[in-house]
Structures are given as structure tokens and as C-alpha cells.
Amino acid sequence: MAEIVLMRNFGRQDSHTLAGYRATGGYTAWEKAKGMEPAAITEEVKKSNLRGLGGAGFPTGMKWSFVPKTHTGPVYLVINADEGEPGTFKDRYLLERDPHALIEGMLITARAIRSAKGFVYIRGEYVQPWRIFSGAVKDAYDAGLLGNGFDIVVHRGAGAYICGEETGLLSSLEGKKGWPKIKPPFPAIKGAFGEPTVVNNVETIACVPPIINRGAEWFAGLGTKTQGGTRMYSVSGRVTKPGVYEDSCAVTLRQLIHDHAGGVSHTGKLKAVVPGGGSAAILTADEIDVAMDVDGLKAKGSMIGSAGVVVMDESVSIPEALLVLARFYAHESCGQCTPCRESTGWIYKMVHRIVDGHGRKDDLDTILDVAKRGGGTTICAFYDGAIGPYISYIEKFRGEFEALCRS
Amino acid sequence: MVKLTIDGRAVELTAGATVLDGVNRLGLPLPQLCKDPDRAPLGACRTCLVHVEGMRGTPAACHLPARDGMVVSTEHPEAVRVRSTVLDLTLAMLTPHAERDGFGQLGIAAARHGRPEPSVAPLHRFHVDDSKSFFLLDREACILCGRCAVACGDVQQIGAISLLGRSHATKVGVFGDGAMADSVCTSCGQCVATCPTGALRPKEPAATISRTVPTTCPYCGVGCGIEARVTEGGRLALMADDAPSNKSSLGMLCVKGRFATGFVHARDRVTTPLVKREARWVEVGWDEALDTAADGLARHRGAFGALASAKATNEDGYLVQKFARVVMSTNDIDHCTRLCHSPSVEAMLASMGSGATSNSYVDYEEAGCLMVVGADASSNHPVIAVRFRRAVSGGARLIVVNPKRVELCDQADLWIRQRPGTDVALFNAMARVILDEGLHDDAFVRARTDGFHAWRGSLEPYTLAYAERVTGVPARDIAQAARWYAQPPFSGSCLIWGMGVTQHVNGIHNAHSLLNLSLVAGQLGRPGSGISPLRGQNNVQGCGDAGCIPTNLPGYAHYVPETLARFEQAWGVRPPGQGGRVVTEMVEGCLTGATRAMYVVGENPLLSEPDLHHAEKAFGQLEFLVVQDLFLHETADHAHVFLPAAAFAEKEGTFTNSERRVQRVRTVLDPPGQARPDWWITAELAKRVARRIGLNVGGQFDYEGPAAIFDEMARLTPFLAGLSHARLDREGGIQWPCPTPDHPGTRYLYGETFPRGRARFIPARQIEEAAELPDADYPFVLNTGRLLYHWHGGTLTRRVQGLLELAPRLEIAIHPSDARQLGVDTGARLRVTSRRGDLTGYARVTEAVRAGAIFVPFVKLADSAANFLTNSAADPASKIPEYKVCAVRLEKLS
């Protein structure tokens, strides 16, 4: 098992306090970063191979370097804490148990991108994380860590999954309906309030202080060739010990389920696993010897996404599981693009019909046809995300669906 | 430039263009339902999907930046396949219905993709919202493209409609999901014009449009471009289209421009010349009517006055004043400016040497601070109000100075609610703050102005404490307004004012106190700054430019020997060398015998003059009255001859708007019956009167048409010299001064110098608040003004059914505390009585008015009109009547 980096303080009772964070070396990275040139910080993060841990896996240092150097107006740092991907709850742990790691990471990041203002967009349902994080922000202001060239605004979402999409989040932050924006321009060029904006996930930024403190090489060495560091896996569903586990991205899905989460519960017999949040294609029981990194899961036709692992044992009905997801997508589609808005509505209706026992076998082909043709046609990746489950659940477990259909 | 290939054809585009721009350049039939040609892409409908070599998936052309060397295909099988799925899903949202007429652009696109019928049924059913008078919202024909929401929110900045809810349950609707009629919708129809499927459509049976003609709106002084649409039946369609290329309106219109041009088809339009015999109108031919008119006018030469029309064209107005000056040998020619902005014009002429708005509308959007004084732009200049709202969205400070809570107050950073009639104290105190705090533009004052020290001395009494006591405005608000105005957060400041400043006995003092403010702060003569008296009528600027004022010849030329000689050379007759009488004096002259005959063109003074009983008596004394108009209105009832004129849509010419932009008016329809263009009627009349008095006018009134009249006017008016109909047709509207044919026109005045050289500070004094103040018998103050849904006295808009539905009856705005005392609720019938007359209307209880004040629009609805009550007391300098203040009492009627 890899070294514990992100969850290093979770065992302390006072890990969420400034004193507790300082007692374990908190804010020393920020002290060090203050002596570094902004470009040097970005360079260090680039060398560390840190990649975005919110879902898309984009190289973090490279994202920072897209901010125009010649821009004279404000540059914003926005933290995406709208953790809404089904089966994902790692950011919640960070906000509750180590909020200062995020604040310190933001201070360093802001220095790298020359930002004087950061926003933390917290999922509306995350009341406790919001309270704890806001308390930490207040303490950081009182201690003079914030308010001296960098400010943090904590903003609460209002219950829309789409606001976790970075441009949907920015629209919402601007006070508009949380609709994703047309790209280009990308946020780094024209983001929040029309100014260059870096949007990063909570966990991603929490990695920054250790990188500065212990060096890019050390961090890169924790991971694989293409992705440095460790990451937090949310493991839920039919396992003996559901929870958040930190490990390298070289860990396999089997290790996560058996070594970390104590193995399959209920019938004890694995049926399927969702490896990377609701939008990742489902894997069957014999596909779990796979490394939990971008390439490994891509090879299996799925994705690491937000590293939310949902385990299903033999007693779980796959059509019912798809119904839950289809309802979710039909409800959460923002309604902006026709293919997504209409298809998610229609597919939910059809899956519902099948689960209710009124479906026909050719409904399955209709769903597959609609799903496949709508891919790549929309403003954001929401619908592409929905397609993964629609197709994989039906193709891999077609028999289960057909058994529910009228002949 | 970027070069790319689309469907095998090369196309070259400017940098920043999209692939869709290229597709449309080549005229390829790619569906693009959510793309308004004049707005940024929304990317919502996903029907313009294309295939691009080397790119994954099928990107939407509307927001795909065109890049060098791109190879695009609209016909690629994959793109067609995916697109037809999207069209199928889109069609599946709709419920076919006979009135829905094939779903517009969607129907065409679907048919082309072999998708006449959707493969699934709609997920939702909706009721039609037909609560609005001019259009309906039929959600079963709606594809949720979002164009209407952009039109309402981003273009017009109203925000009445939006896409409610999310996912497949999204629908177009208003706040609280109620009826559109109960929302803040202003019926501007921007949403209807952009709707691609007819979900928002005018309430009239679908008709084929045989042609559209670009022209200029006939209502207010904003001067919006409209595209008049003519049906196969030869009538104007209910809805006119907007003109995105028009630089004054940028593709916006308000309810009147969009939906209220139908008055030209009113059933009571007079289409035959009329002569009154034995107190009855008799239909006659043109010869007889013109001869009768000429006989009467010739008889009273020497006791004659003419009223030109600010609703008619520049060419029409120019001929009316030429007739008065050349044939009738009088400068007694005026128009409605006397009743609206004469104090502004007189003050600006005295202080700067020109009476026009100095800036352009675009300056409102660029300004860092807007101070809007005594103007309800949202009602009276709706498209200018949009530009104010855009400025506010961009971070500009908005200061509203108004005793009444006008709609703009809702967007204002600061609302100054002064006591009526105390404006001078307010603005002088602001000037003192600017000077005391050193916020003035010292360099500007030194280099560009005269009279500074004497003026500064005159400010001595106007301390903040004094101003607070007199105006009732907290001192800190006055100081804040002064600071923002003098030093806005960015760019400059625009000062905008309306009738609330001018229609007072101290109108000219008010105007001077405003102008001084702009001078001391140096807020004019550069982008984002300026002074704007908002002009009420479509051509009030042009009517003055054309010389329809007693104080000046065309082009504001003075009665000095050199100019008189210049005009004599052009006209063959020397115009009289001294100023004439203004309209209020002409009307008074009817009672003394100084005025025996009048020629009234396109005006209805017996609805717009103050103290109408008195005015009616005066007009009754006239021995001969010729009225030239569209309808037999209140003034026409007293006429001896009625000459039926062509409406704006039935003639050629030009209007000049509030930003000095001269724009073309074009013949959309033939005049009905025997109605003729005003210029033709005036020219015929002039020739006949000349013959009767033995005056040889040669060919002075023989014109080939309005273009020739314009050319003559432009030759005599240096600031118009570079303009002609041909040039305006070629280039669109141009802002004067435009002295030469290669001059591009002028965005703002006073950049280098003032017409009088240096501008002059002219001290303004706070005098009595009003001529008639409330007392025990008449305890309320009556304030008058206009409504969004009616134009002026309503002569035109009362003939538009949809407007009558929106504002069917006269409402009397009354403060809740006064309503309580009177025991009335909204809807109760009230009688309002002044020393001069009375009216009845319906109470509307609102905090928009101050306690002790009521507001009644001066539109005439059901026989009641506010001007029976108003006071004819006038500002001594400009002669403007005090419409804004008179004392009245209120009674509750059962």
C-alpha cells in the first residue's frame, strides 16, 4: 500500500482546526511557496504529474499555465466542491477533516496563477462540510493567512448536478442558471465574470502543499508514469467496509474491493462494479483485475472519473440499478441541448417501462440507438457521461433486461 | 482571414467567424434553429451538426471557430444521421395543430431530412398562454431553443420570460409560472420576432408576407428602424420586424413600433378632402378643398399662424415653414417642441449655441454614470431605456432624479425624490459639492467656458443644508449624486432629462442648472458623456432643424441680414426679419383677434394644449382653420377645411431622431382613397394662396418629390449639407452635423469647440416651486405624463385594439395614505377637479407617487383628458406651460 498523503491528518481529533493542521506541519508549504516565483510553483506542479482528480484527469500544472500572462485584470481561482457524481464522497471527507489543506493549497495555487480571489463552490446538500470549511476560512482570516492579498468566498450550490460541470458551475457562481457554457473560450481564458479562471477540484488542490513541501519528484514517484501521487477512492455498495481509501492509481480494482473494503458483502458474490462514479461504464465480475488509472480503465471501455467505486453483488438487479441512474440523468440534465434533454427523458421512460414489466425487447435496441447517436453532440459532457451506463448496462447484462420484457 | 472548405467549396472568412458563418455564406441549407442571425450562438438546438475532417464526433457549426485549412462537410453521412436523430427528437416535442403552420424553420429542416413525422410522442402537454393582447405563447410548438429568453433577458433586458425548470420538464414561462399578462412583460415582441417555430406568434391569422420595406418608426424620438411587412392583401401585418442594422435601435423595438402601426388602416381614417358647410362635413375633390382653403388663408394673411407636425417628415415640415415665411410672410410657425423641450433648447442655444442632444445612444452604454432627470424612459423611450439597463448591467452608476417612482428606479443605484419644482436648488447644491470637493474639471472650465466666476458666486446660498430643506432629499444623497456624476467609476457621465425638467414655470432655470452641472464637471464632448434632452416625437428634432420654429430659420439660422439675404436668394422672397409668435401665443391671439386663421398639420392642440376649455374657446374664435391629418380629431372639429394626409407608411421622406440621426421613411403602401402626402398638399396650397395674393413664387413649390425638397433644405442648412436621400439609402441613417458628402456624420458634439465658441455658465435661481400650489380647496398636486401603451393624447394608439386592451381606461395613481383617507381602493372611480376642468378615472393605489400627489396620463380615454385640468401658466422665457404641476381635488364616485 502506498504512503498516505491526502488523509494523513484524518486520524487526529483536531485535524479540522488551524492548531491541529499547524501541529502536523500545516502552512509550511505556503511559507515556502511565498519565496518562490509563480512560474516556479507551476513548474513544480507540472513536474509532479498531478492530474485533476474531479473526473477529467487534466494535467493540473498545464491548466494553470493557460492563464494569459499578459492579462491585467483579475484572475480567479474556483474550487469545485460540488461533489455530485453518484458514488463519490471523497471531497466531503477533505472539507470536513482537513479544510486547511484546501486553503493552503489555494493560497499556493493563487500565487502561481496571480489570483487575488478564490471561490469555493460547495454542493448545497453538504451542510456539515460547508460549516466546517467556513469555520476554517474564518480562522485563516483571523490568523492573517487570508485577507492579505488573497480572499476566499464560500458559495453554496442549490442542488443541481450540472453545477459540478465547470462552466455550469461558473454560470451558477455568476448568479445565472447553472447552464454549461459554449467552449471555446475556455475558463482559463474567459471564465468567471468574463475573467481568466482556473477551476480545480478540492482533492487536486489539497495535493499542492505536499508537492511544494516534499518536491515534485517524490510526488510523481508515488504514482504511475502518467499520473503522480495518490488519490482517494470512495467505495460503496455491497462491500463489508464501505468508505474512503487512499492509494496509488496503480492499485487494482480487486485490491480496492478486497484489501481495502473488506470484500463483497450480502451474497459475497460479485456481479458488477462501477469503477469511477455513475457516469463510468459498468464492469463485470471478471473485469476487476484492472489498474485504477486512466489508461487501465480506458482499455476496459470505462473510466476512472471521480474514482467512486460502486460494488454490486449477485442479488442486485442491474435493470433496477440502471433505472436509478436513468432517473438521475433525466432529472439532472440542465435542459439546454435538445439531444440530452429529450433523450434522457425518453430513455428514463423506456427503462421505467422495462423494469415495470411493460417493455418490449426492441425497446433495448431503441435505447442503444438513441444513446449512441446522441454522443458528442452537446455543449458539455453530461450526456456523453450518461451514455456510458446506458450502453454498458444493457450490452453487458442484456439477458437480465430481456427477462423483464414481454416477448 | 481564414480559408476553409465546406462541402468541397472554398470559403474565406474573417478571423473570429464560425463554421456556420461559412455555411451561410455559401447558402447551404443547414438547419440552425436556435441561432438568431444577429445574436451570439446558443448552441442549444444541436441541429447545425457537421463533420470536420480530423475532429471527433459531430460538432455544432454555430459555435465552432473557423480555422485555416478546415475541411467541413454538412452532407457527411454520419453528420446527416446524427442530425436527423436530433431533428426527430425535436419534432417529438411538438404537437401538430392547424394553426401552428408547420413549425416554421423546424418543419422545413425536418422535411429535408426525411423526418416529416416524429418517431415518438411528446413527453409533456401544455396549455396555450393567450393572456397577452398582441401575441400568444403556444408551448406545444416550442423547442426550448432559448432565443426568446435571450431576446427578453439579454437584448431587451426585461427578463419577463425565461426557461423555467430543468431537464425535459423545462418550459418557457414567467416568474412564478403564471400568465404572461401578469408578468413584467412589456409586449415588445422581441421574443415573437425571433421564435423559429411560431410558438410565440402574433394573434392574427397566418398570412403570406408579400414584401417588407425598411422604414423608421413613427412613434417616439428614439427613431428605431422597422421592417414594415405587407401581407398579400395589401395591409400591414400586425407585427413589424426589427432592423438589426439600424444603428439607433440595433434590432430592438418596443410594443408600439412592433405592434401598433395598424392605425394606418383604422376604419375612421379620412380618405377624402372635406369642406364644412352649414356645420357639416361635405366630401369634395382636392381642387375644391384646396381652393376653399386657399381662399380662407389668403383672406387672413397678416393674422395667420401655422403649426407644423413633429410627426411628419423633415420635408413636410420644411415646406410648411416655407409656405408660412414665403407666401404668408410670417414667422408665426411653431410645432409641439414648445410644449416639451423649448426650455432645454432655449437654454442650450444660450449656453452652447446648439439645441440638440450632444451624444449618441451608444454613449449611454459606454458611460460610467447616467443621471436621468424627470424622464420615464421605460414608458416614453423604451429602447433608450434598454440601453440604460445595459449600461447598468455593465457596472455604470444610475442616478434617477424623479418625484415619481418610475420604472428606472428599480435599476437605480440612487433615487433622488425631490419635491416637485425644487430642481434648481438640487442641482445648484450638487454643483457646489463638485466645486467644494474639487471634483470639477478645471482644465475644461478654463479652456472651454465663460462666466465661471460669476456663476460660482451665484451658488453661494445653495448649501447642502439649504438644499436638503428645500428639496426634501437627504444631503448625503445629493453629495453622492454629485460625486458619481462628476467622477464616475469609469468613462464619462451622461446627463439625460425629460419633461419633468422642462414643463414648469421655472423650466429654463431647471435646464440651465443642469447644463451648468455638465460644464463644471466637463461631462460632454467625449465618448461616454453628454447632455440629452430626450425628444418626445419621432421628428421633433427634425421639425426644429427644418425651421418650424418662430425664433429661427431652417438650420437655426438667425434673423440677421446675411442669412435673410441667403434665404431670399434661395426662395426668391425675403423672409420676415423678426421672430414670430410661439404656439401658445398664437392660441391666445385667437381671443384677441391677432390670429384669425390657422393651418394645423398633424397636430391635435385641443388635446395637447394645457387648460383645454380655454384653448377650445380660443380655437372657436378662429375665422378660418385648415387641418391636415389622418383623423377627424378634437381640433378638426373646429376646422373649416380638412385635408386628408398620407400616413408615415404611405410617403417618402426622412425623420431625424434624438441622436441627430437622419433616417429614411419609405412608401410601404399607397395612401388610402384620395389621401396625399403632406408635402404635396402644402405645396399645392402654397401655390394657390400665392396666386390669390398676387405673389409670384415661380417654381418655388414645384418639386419632383421629397428627395428634391431635402436637397433644397440641405443646401440651406450647413449641418445637413452632406446628406441626400440617395446617400441615406446607400449608407443608412447618418448623424448630423454632416457638412460634406464624404463626411461620416458626427457621433458627439462639442469635442473641440461649441457653436458659440466657449460655452457659457448662466446662473439659475430657485424661484417659486410652481404657479399653482395646493390649498384647502384643491389639496392635491396633479402630475401628468405618458404611458408605455399609449402615444401622447392617444389619437393613433386609441385606434390599435391590442393597446386598448393593455391600457383600456384612465388610471389615477394615488398614494396609499391618500387612498385610505378617501376610502378608495384600486379600481374605484374618482373625479379629479381643478380650477379649469375635471375628469373621471379609476384609482390605482401605488407608492410610485408621493403622498399628496396624483399622476394622470394625458391620453384621452373615454372622453376624459388630463389637459382639461392643467394650468396654462408658462415659463416666461420659453413659454412652455406648466403641465407637471397644478392643484386639484379628488372625489370618490359611486
Side-chain angles (χ1 to χ4, degrees):
Chain A
M1 271 184 215
E3 184 180 349
I4 299 301
V5 178
L6 288 155
M7 292 166 62
R8 64 190 179 278
N9 298 329
F10 282 19
R12 293 177 63 102
Q13 280 297 311
D14 62 351
S15 66
H16 62 288
T17 65
L18 182 54
Y21 187 65
R22 281 208 150 124
T24 55
Y27 289 108
T28 52
W30 169 230
E31 285 306 320
K32 188 174 168 190
K34 280 198 274 190
M36 294 167 73
E37 282 301 311
I41 300 173
T42 305
E43 203 43 47
E44 194 71 9
V45 171
K46 272 188 185 167
K47 278 196 296 191
S48 77
N49 270 351
L50 173 64
R51 297 177 77 145
L53 300 169
F58 195 82
T60 306
M62 194 191 292
K63 188 185 255 190
W64 295 0
S65 66
F66 290 156
V67 174
K69 305 284 176 294
T70 51
H71 184 72
T72 52
V75 172
Y76 297 121
L77 171 63
V78 173
I79 302 303
N80 186 345
D82 190 59
E83 188 174 50
E85 187 64 29
T88 311
F89 38 87
K90 61 188 177 73
D91 293 339
R92 167 177 203 140
Y93 274 73
L94 277 168
L95 291 167
E96 287 179 350
R97 305 203 182 177
D98 207 356
H100 286 282
L102 176 58
I103 296 173
E104 186 179 14
M106 287 178 73
L107 279 162
I108 298 166
T109 306
R111 180 169 173 80
I113 62 170
R114 301 172 191 274
S115 168
K117 191 162 208 165
F119 298 88
V120 179
Y121 189 105
I122 300 185
R123 176 179 178 166
E125 295 91 331
Y126 276 12
V127 178
Q128 188 69 356
W130 164 68
R131 285 211 185 102
I132 294 170
F133 183 72
S134 299
V137 167
K138 184 181 178 300
D139 291 345
Y141 268 105
D142 291 345
L145 291 159
L146 293 174
N148 288 315
F150 185 67
D151 287 292
I152 290 180
V153 175
V154 180
H155 184 93
R156 297 182 69 194
Y161 171 68
I162 198 62
C163 293
E165 197 277 346
E166 66 174 356
T167 56
L169 183 152
L170 294 178
S171 295
S172 171
L173 188 65
E174 290 166 347
K176 300 174 193 151
K177 197 165 176 170
W179 275 7
K181 301 179 185 192
I182 290 172
K183 288 165 279 209
F186 289 91
I189 309 298
K190 198 174 169 206
F193 309 101
E195 304 292 346
T197 302
V198 167
V199 185
N200 275 136
N201 169 261
V202 173
E203 187 186 358
T204 312
I205 294 302
C207 289
V208 172
I211 291 171
I212 297 302
N213 253 340
R214 301 175 62 181
E217 257 171 59
W218 160 80
F219 189 84
L222 294 173
T224 60
K225 226 164 79 180
T226 52
Q227 180 163 8
T230 55
R231 70 182 302 166
M232 291 161 70
Y233 299 90
S234 316
V235 186
S236 64
R238 298 290 166 84
V239 287
T240 311
K241 290 192 298 173
V244 175
Y245 301 99
E246 181 174 348
D247 208 323
S248 131
C249 49
V251 70
T252 65
L253 188 48
R254 180 181 296 280
Q255 286 171 319
L256 265 179
I257 296 170
H258 292 279
D259 302 350
H260 285 292
V264 179
S265 65
H266 293 67
T267 62
K269 224 176 143 213
L270 186 66
K271 187 184 212 175
V273 192
V274 175
S279 305
I282 200 165
L283 299 177
T284 58
D286 50 14
E287 290 178 302
I288 62 170
D289 292 306
V290 56
M292 291 293 279
D293 68 356
V294 174
D295 300 329
L297 285 163
K298 205 172 179 182
K300 296 276 182 203
S302 188
M303 62 175 185
I304 181 63
S306 60
V309 177
V310 183
V311 179
M312 305 180 201
D313 80 309
E314 269 298 335
S315 66
V316 171
S317 158
I318 298 296
E320 282 180 31
L322 181 59
L323 179 64
V324 171
L325 273 181
R327 182 193 295 128
F328 175 81
Y329 289 117
H331 182 61
E332 297 292 349
S333 166
C334 79
Q336 189 173 197
C337 301
T338 301
C340 172
R341 179 186 64 233
E342 301 304 316
S343 299
T344 54
W346 268 101
I347 288 172
Y348 167 54
K349 203 171 167 177
M350 284 191 280
V351 175
H352 198 286
R353 190 160 74 177
I354 291 166
V355 171
D356 272 0
H358 304 298
R360 293 192 312 255
K361 279 183 183 163
D362 56 1
D363 284 353
L364 294 170
D365 295 317
T366 308
I367 294 173
L368 290 174
D369 183 50
V370 170
K372 285 178 180 169
R373 276 197 286 167
T377 64
T378 48
I379 288 175
C380 78
F382 175 99
Y383 188 60
D384 293 344
I387 292 170
Y390 295 150
I391 298 175
S392 63
Y393 281 53
I394 293 175
E395 286 187 342
K396 291 187 179 175
F397 297 92
R398 188 162 179 129
E400 266 194 67
F401 286 90
E402 287 182 348
L404 293 172
C405 292
R406 291 176 298 168
S407 48
Chain B
M1 298 296 270
V2 290
K3 283 184 194 161
L4 58 161
T5 314
I6 305 177
D7 289 354
R9 293 162 64 186
V11 62
E12 205 168 311
L13 302 168
T14 51
T18 65
V19 169
L20 186 66
D21 293 332
V23 168
N24 290 339
R25 172 83 63 80
L26 294 172
L28 301 170
L30 187 65
Q32 40 200 285
L33 303 174
C34 70
K35 178 72 179 76
D36 184 314
D38 308 302
R39 310 287 165 212
L42 297 174
C45 75
R46 317 309 291 179
T47 56
C48 63
L49 305 173
V50 293
H51 177 268
V52 181
E53 266 183 28
M55 272 182 90
R56 224 159 35 96
T58 47
C62 68
H63 60 85
L64 182 63
R67 276 192 261 281
D68 242 348
M70 250 182 181
V71 179
V72 180
S73 166
T74 69
E75 305 274 301
H76 189 280
E78 180 60 9
V80 173
R81 199 173 66 88
V82 176
R83 205 156 64 217
S84 82
T85 305
V86 176
L87 284 167
D88 184 32
L89 287 165
T90 311
L91 264 188
M93 299 169 67
L94 312 178
T95 308
H97 183 284
E99 276 178 31
R100 292 185 186 121
D101 193 29
F103 305 117
Q105 296 172 30
L106 171 60
I108 298 165
R112 269 197 64 249
H113 286 75
R115 290 275 182 189
E117 296 296 331
S119 47
V120 288
L123 283 163
H124 301 276
R125 297 302 307 265
F126 298 104
H127 293 294
V128 171
D129 182 344
D130 62 354
S131 63
K132 299 297 291 184
S133 66
F134 288 115
F135 54 87
L136 53 80
L137 168 59
D138 176 3
R139 295 190 181 91
E140 297 203 335
C142 172
I143 59 164
L144 300 174
C145 68
R147 283 166 68 161
C148 57
V150 170
C152 190
D154 296 352
V155 178
Q156 288 270 349
Q157 305 251 327
I158 301 276
I161 55 171
S162 182
L163 294 173
L164 308 183
R166 64 186 200 191
S167 71
H168 54 88
T170 304
K171 64 177 178 177
V172 172
V174 300
F175 181 77
D177 198 13
M180 278 187 95
D182 300 330
S183 74
V184 295
C185 168
T186 61
S187 290
C188 73
Q190 201 79 35
C191 56
V192 184
T194 194
C195 180
T197 61
L200 283 153
R201 59 178 181 270
K203 276 187 180 174
E204 72 175 350
T208 311
I209 300 301
S210 61
R211 62 179 189 278
T212 64
V213 182
T215 184
T216 304
C217 177
Y219 282 104
C220 78
V222 179
C224 299
I226 62 175
E227 299 276 336
R229 298 155 75 236
V230 184
T231 65
E232 270 184 333
R235 291 169 67 90
L236 291 180
L238 174 63
M239 183 175 82
D241 209 350
D242 43 63
S245 62
N246 183 291
K247 295 188 191 78
S248 287
S249 56
L250 310 177
M252 293 178 276
L253 285 177
C254 77
V255 57
K256 296 189 287 281
R258 178 99 55 193
F259 292 112
T261 47
F263 65 84
V264 302
H265 298 304
R267 254 178 259 142
D268 61 345
R269 181 84 188 269
V270 183
T271 58
T272 315
L274 302 174
V275 168
K276 203 174 266 170
R277 293 201 190 112
E278 290 158 9
R280 299 178 71 129
W281 286 118
V282 178
E283 294 190 351
V284 298
W286 270 110
D287 268 331
E288 185 178 347
L290 288 166
D291 283 338
T292 312
D295 287 342
L297 297 182
R299 231 178 7 251
H300 297 290
R301 194 165 175 256
F304 167 82
L307 262 186
S309 176
K311 297 218 77 62
T313 63
N314 286 318
E315 294 78 359
D316 295 336
Y318 176 80
L319 275 204
V320 175
Q321 65 82 33
K322 186 175 175 184
F323 165 58
R325 291 187 162 116
V326 169
V327 178
M328 301 305 282
S329 192
T330 179
N331 285 324
D332 291 357
I333 162 86
D334 208 355
H335 69 286
C336 66
T337 190
R338 194 62 44 201
L339 309 179
C340 57
H341 264 305
S342 54
S344 315
V345 173
E346 305 274 330
M348 289 193 290
L349 282 172
S351 189
M352 285 126 191
S354 165
T357 290
S358 77
N359 54 280
S360 293
Y361 305 155
V362 66
D363 292 306
Y364 303 141
E365 288 191 46
E366 290 183 9
C369 174
L370 302 171
M371 186 157 82
V372 184
V373 184
D376 181 4
S378 324
S379 295
N380 302 325
H381 305 89
V383 171
I384 282 183
V386 177
R387 308 188 80 155
F388 294 168
R389 291 195 286 269
R390 286 185 182 178
V392 171
S393 301
R397 302 283 183 209
L398 174 63
I399 306 166
V400 173
V401 183
N402 209 315
K404 188 177 143 206
R405 185 179 177 120
V406 293
E407 195 266 350
L408 279 179
C409 294
D410 296 347
Q411 287 113 45
D413 295 278
L414 179 61
W415 173 28
I416 289 186
R417 187 175 216 182
Q418 83 281 30
R419 276 221 303 275
T422 63
D423 299 38
V424 173
L426 176 70
F427 299 123
N428 278 358
M430 279 178 63
R432 257 198 76 151
V433 171
I434 290 171
L435 287 166
D436 291 351
E437 298 189 5
L439 306 174
H440 61 294
D441 186 341
D442 198 43
F444 183 90
V445 169
R446 280 168 197 275
R448 306 282 306 274
T449 67
D450 286 333
F452 173 69
H453 293 289
W455 170 68
R456 183 173 198 161
S458 78
L459 297 177
E460 198 50 40
Y462 296 94
T463 61
L464 278 175
Y466 167 81
E468 179 174 294
R469 200 169 62 243
V470 172
T471 62
V473 180
R476 64 168 188 283
D477 286 354
I478 302 175
Q480 180 67 76
R483 289 175 198 135
W484 276 343
Y485 177 72
Q487 301 206 332
F490 54 89
S491 185
S493 290
C494 285
L495 181 53
I496 300 117
W497 69 96
M499 306 297 90
V501 167
T502 56
Q503 289 176 339
H504 288 283
V505 286
N506 42 11
I508 201 153
H509 285 277
N510 292 344
H512 275 304
S513 64
L514 283 174
L515 298 180
N516 292 335
L517 214 47
S518 73
L519 291 176
V520 74
Q523 292 295 1
L524 68 176
R526 57 196 162 82
S529 71
I531 50 173
S532 315
L534 291 180
R535 311 311 300 256
Q537 306 252 14
N538 53 323
N539 197 36
V540 69
Q541 180 66 51
C543 204
D545 298 347
C548 297
I549 43 176
T551 46
N552 299 78
L553 289 159
Y556 305 97
H558 295 291
Y559 299 114
V560 293
E562 310 86 78
T563 49
L564 290 169
R566 190 157 61 86
F567 280 91
E568 181 176 3
Q569 200 185 10
W571 290 345
V573 174
R574 194 177 177 88
Q578 61 293 315
R581 293 178 299 162
V582 304
V583 54
T584 37
E585 291 170 326
M586 288 185 231
V587 174
E588 285 307 309
C590 300
L591 294 167
T592 63
T595 312
R596 293 212 182 86
M598 281 188 78
Y599 176 39
V600 177
V601 181
E603 295 259 321
N604 185 6
L606 288 186
L607 204 49
S608 53
E609 283 282 305
D611 189 2
L612 284 177
H613 286 303
H614 179 76
E616 230 176 273
K617 202 163 85 192
F619 272 81
Q621 301 289 308
L622 275 175
E623 287 180 28
F624 198 72
L625 174 62
V626 179
V627 167
Q628 181 172 315
D629 215 313
L630 310 183
F631 302 105
L632 282 172
H633 47 57
E634 290 77 2
T635 311
D637 290 344
H638 294 264
H640 301 86
V641 179
F642 185 92
L643 306 173
F648 85 103
E650 299 152 2
K651 60 184 177 186
E652 297 291 319
T654 53
F655 292 156
T656 306
N657 71 6
S658 256
E659 61 171 354
R660 296 169 276 104
R661 193 181 300 281
V662 185
Q663 308 194 97
R664 283 282 277 122
V665 177
R666 295 190 179 85
T667 309
V668 183
L669 306 163
D670 291 330
Q674 298 184 52
R676 292 288 171 89
D678 289 271
W679 67 268
W680 180 89
I681 304 172
T682 305
E684 282 300 311
L685 191 59
K687 284 187 276 192
R688 289 170 204 243
V689 175
R691 215 175 299 138
R692 280 164 178 72
I693 60 174
L695 180 74
N696 179 10
V697 289
Q700 282 294 340
F701 289 92
D702 294 328
Y703 293 100
E704 266 177 37
I709 303 172
F710 189 92
D711 289 344
E712 177 179 317
M713 179 171 76
R715 272 198 303 279
L716 288 165
T717 309
F719 61 73
L720 298 177
L723 300 180
S724 65
H725 281 201
R727 183 171 174 200
L728 296 171
D729 285 338
R730 220 167 38 237
E731 299 177 29
I734 295 172
Q735 291 173 282
W736 68 250
C738 179
T740 57
D742 55 358
H743 189 284
T746 305
R747 170 173 158 183
Y748 57 86
L749 306 177
Y750 316 144
E752 306 291 326
T753 176
F754 291 94
R756 68 180 301 283
R758 291 161 77 94
R760 196 149 58 102
F761 284 98
I762 298 174
R765 270 184 317 115
Q766 175 67 49
I767 52 173
E768 72 270 28
E769 292 177 14
E772 186 180 74
L773 289 168
D775 55 23
D777 293 336
Y778 297 93
F780 287 92
V781 170
L782 167 67
N783 177 14
T784 68
R786 300 198 311 228
L787 294 177
L788 171 61
Y789 299 115
H790 280 290
W791 171 254
H792 238 233
T795 306
L796 303 180
T797 49
R798 271 181 280 139
R799 292 174 166 89
V800 178
Q801 185 54 33
L803 291 177
L804 276 178
E805 284 171 31
L806 288 166
R809 57 189 196 177
L810 199 64
E811 287 191 337
I812 298 162
I814 179 170
H815 191 267
S817 63
D818 296 327
R820 239 187 333 271
Q821 275 194 351
L822 282 165
V824 296
D825 274 327
T826 291
R829 282 189 72 212
L830 283 178
R831 175 181 289 131
V832 187
T833 310
S834 80
R835 291 186 173 83
R836 294 157 294 276
D838 64 59
L839 62 78
T840 58
Y842 297 84
R844 188 166 60 84
V845 180
T846 167
E847 288 181 355
V849 292
R850 299 166 61 104
I854 61 165
F855 176 84
V856 181
F858 69 87
V859 58
K860 182 176 181 183
L861 292 167
D863 289 335
S864 285
N867 281 332
F868 285 108
L869 282 63
T870 48
N871 191 354
S872 58
D875 173 35
S878 64
K879 317 274 170 51
I880 192 166
E882 188 160 63
Y883 288 103
K884 290 294 178 192
V885 182
C886 76
V888 295
R889 64 167 185 260
L890 292 174
E891 287 162 77
K892 181 181 172 184
L893 300 175
S894 53

